[in-house]
Amino acid sequence: MAEKTSVRAVKGMNDVLPGEIARWHRLEALFRRSMALTGYREVRTPFVEHKPLFVRAIGEVTDVVEKEMYAFTRHHDELALRPEGTAGAVRAYVEHKVANAEPVSRWYYLGPMFRAERPQAGRYRQFWQYGAECFGDAGPGSDAEMIAELCAFLSAAGVTAPRVLLNSIGGPGTRVAYTEAVRAYLEPKKAQLSEDSQKRLEKNALRILDSKAPEDHAALEGAPTLESVLDEADKDHFKNLLGHLDALGVTYEVDPKLVRGLDYYTRTLFEIKGAKEKLGAGDTLIGGGRYDGMVEQLGGASVPAIGFAGGLERLLIATDDGEKKPVVSVFLAPMGSPATTYALVLARELRAHGVTCDVDTRGANLKSMLRRATSLEAPYGILVGDAEIAAGVVEVKDLNARTQEKIARSEVVRVLADRLAKGTP
Ligand code: AMP
């Protein structure tokens, strides 16, 4: 049994095979481009951090910290695989005293995160997030810019009609007051709550708002709304954010129930959702918000911040149009050993001109070589044998049009490089 399981990937952790990678690369490049257009630069932090960092940053009474962390002890250190990217980014920002060097920092990241969740469609135990943090700007303009640029990115990626949901949870004071208001409201109904929520009532009543248990929803009917506790500055911040978004032409829905699972948020919260038909229950593509208190809480100066993270796998599901890209542009099929040498030299020349090629050096028959050319979706095949070598030509097959022509060996590199650069098959 042990032998059987040891050659399987860990449940909820997926391989990305080469056949799928072109779509990952496309989205990653689009994301990097979108970030560069907005003045963001990449930060790479370790996949492993001290566990207490996540407990402090994310909050003790959250699903991520309570149930989902891959934590372990090594060399007497309590460590954890990162479940999200913000805690590590803030730790790095504080540790390297970045705030002393520049008033505003824009950082993005791209990489795997780990959460021991129940795997299902769009929910994995290792998943990739693309995300960003903007440190040092408390203004609602930076919230609006982040959301608008994300909409532009999603549209470039091919997401049709994303839905932007927004809410304000107020400053830290408001959060405390609101959490208490929810607690006081639910206290007399404690027995009706789910087991998890009963535990949360004392420790973090706010988390009950985004519980999925129907009994919790029923108990929350008529609970005080967030709006009733926002102070004037919070309301003003939110109003300005909405004004900027209107000017930027971003459509949004204000959702007073949106509280999100992590503890660190202040003021703006947002989610961007994709189509339910494609994504099912995992239709949240991106989640984000302000966390004005976290830098200080982790030992830095009082620096406001806002960030977001999106799941790359979910974006892949949302943008799958079934299209495949060729693996190489030219497939060389040599017949015989001298022809193989000849093809290797020709392929080197083609590659030096930026043309991707695959040489079939198996010594296989023509039919099976051409089958490979088709499966790689190469637009061109080059056939060479002793006769072609002697005549100083190669047979070039247009594998889409199914035509064939003889081209002089001395011309073929230039001809194919030109045709491929022009995109004309
Ligand atoms: P969060 O860090 O929980 O706010 O999640 C931000 C985004 O990351 C979500 O909207 C999803 O797109 C993605 N995400 C979160 N958890 C998972 C998971 N277990 N598997 C796949 N994607 C996830």
Side-chain angles (χ1 to χ4, degrees):
M1 186 66 195
E3 269 168 38
K4 232 181 181 174
T5 52
S6 64
V7 294
R8 291 240 158 103
V10 175
K11 189 174 165 198
M13 303 203 181
N14 302 310
D15 299 309
V16 180
L17 295 178
E20 306 156 55
I21 206 72
R23 298 192 55 237
W24 284 71
H25 286 167
R26 185 184 83 89
L27 292 180
E28 287 165 12
L30 275 174
F31 177 64
R32 289 181 191 283
R33 177 74 190 136
S34 150
M35 288 285 100
L37 281 170
T38 328
Y40 281 74
R41 289 173 301 167
E42 184 178 359
V43 62
R44 295 188 185 181
T45 62
F47 294 4
V48 175
E49 298 272 358
H50 292 286
K51 181 183 164 195
L53 169 71
F54 298 118
V55 179
R56 272 170 73 187
I58 300 170
E60 207 156 346
V61 194
T62 55
D63 282 350
V64 170
V65 166
E66 278 183 326
K67 304 183 198 157
E68 297 167 359
M69 274 214 285
Y70 284 95
F72 56 99
T73 305
R74 180 56 45 100
H75 305 133
H76 308 293
D77 282 329
E78 268 191 276
L79 306 173
L81 298 184
R82 62 183 189 185
E84 52 92 72
T86 300
V90 173
R91 196 258 319 128
Y93 179 82
V94 171
E95 187 169 334
H96 299 282
K97 302 189 172 56
V98 180
N100 296 347
E102 54 190 31
V104 175
S105 306
R106 302 185 197 279
W107 289 9
Y108 79 85
Y109 59 85
L110 190 60
M113 306 294 162
F114 305 85
R115 294 184 197 173
E117 298 193 72
R118 195 167 58 81
Q120 50 189 294
R123 190 171 291 287
Y124 316 102
R125 291 183 170 171
Q126 177 184 300
F127 58 100
W128 283 65
Q129 279 189 337
Y130 53 98
E133 323 291 348
C134 170
F135 298 102
D137 188 339
S142 77
D143 309 27
E145 181 182 55
M146 184 171 273
I147 294 168
E149 294 302 332
L150 279 173
C151 289
F153 162 65
L154 291 178
S155 150
V159 175
T160 41
R163 284 173 61 213
V164 177
L165 305 182
L166 283 177
N167 194 20
S168 174
I169 199 164
T174 312
R175 193 188 178 97
V176 172
Y178 185 57
T179 308
E180 174 48 28
V182 172
R183 194 204 59 75
Y185 182 80
L186 291 175
E187 185 64 52
K189 303 176 166 202
K190 187 170 177 180
Q192 291 173 35
L193 295 173
S194 67
E195 212 181 301
D196 270 351
S197 290
Q198 290 194 13
K199 278 191 230 144
R200 293 200 162 118
L201 192 59
E202 288 312 318
K203 288 192 193 161
N204 188 357
L206 204 57
R207 291 279 291 107
I208 301 175
L209 258 70
D210 65 2
S211 154
K212 289 181 187 84
E215 58 268 42
D216 294 339
H217 283 232
L220 280 165
E221 287 281 330
T225 62
L226 251 171
E227 222 197 332
S228 64
V229 290
L230 290 186
D231 67 23
E232 285 312 310
D234 293 335
K235 281 187 189 158
D236 216 41
H237 192 276
F238 196 53
K239 200 175 107 213
N240 277 310
L241 162 60
L242 302 188
H244 293 316
L245 287 176
D246 289 337
L248 285 160
V250 173
T251 15
Y252 54 80
E253 300 158 43
V254 175
D255 176 0
K257 285 218 182 71
L258 182 70
V259 291
R260 298 192 39 74
L262 315 179
D263 246 10
Y264 49 60
Y265 291 113
T266 50
R267 290 195 164 160
T268 311
L269 290 177
F270 64 91
E271 280 186 356
I272 307 185
K273 290 186 180 279
K276 262 232 164 356
E277 309 84 72
K278 272 195 170 160
L279 293 155
D283 63 344
T284 306
L285 294 173
I286 295 173
R290 247 185 200 287
Y291 49 94
D292 288 342
M294 201 204 291
V295 175
E296 193 171 13
Q297 195 199 326
L298 293 182
S302 167
V303 176
I306 179 164
F308 70 84
L312 204 46
E313 288 89 347
R314 288 193 192 181
L315 189 56
L316 282 157
I317 299 171
T319 57
D320 189 4
D321 56 8
E323 206 181 290
K324 272 169 69 187
K325 266 177 76 180
V327 179
V328 289
S329 297
V330 177
F331 185 88
L332 292 97
M335 279 146 302
S337 177
T340 300
T341 314
Y342 192 85
L344 286 169
V345 174
L346 176 52
R348 181 83 284 288
E349 272 179 51
L350 283 162
R351 290 175 188 136
H353 283 76
V355 176
T356 55
C357 20
D358 183 306
V359 189
D360 198 323
T361 58
R362 295 175 300 162
N365 64 38
L366 186 60
K367 204 169 152 202
S368 93
M369 287 197 281
L370 288 177
R371 251 203 313 271
R372 274 199 66 222
T374 308
S375 81
L376 295 173
E377 310 212 348
Y380 291 106
I382 293 183
L383 317 184
V384 247
D386 296 340
E388 285 77 17
I389 298 175
V393 294
V394 291
E395 291 282 351
V396 175
K397 242 178 171 339
D398 181 325
L399 292 161
N400 295 320
R402 295 172 183 275
T403 54
Q404 191 161 322
E405 62 187 309
K406 280 189 172 42
I407 301 183
R409 169 64 179 85
S410 55
E411 289 292 304
V412 70
V413 173
R414 187 188 54 76
V415 169
L416 287 182
D418 277 0
R419 284 189 199 171
L420 288 161
K422 288 195 193 101
T424 46

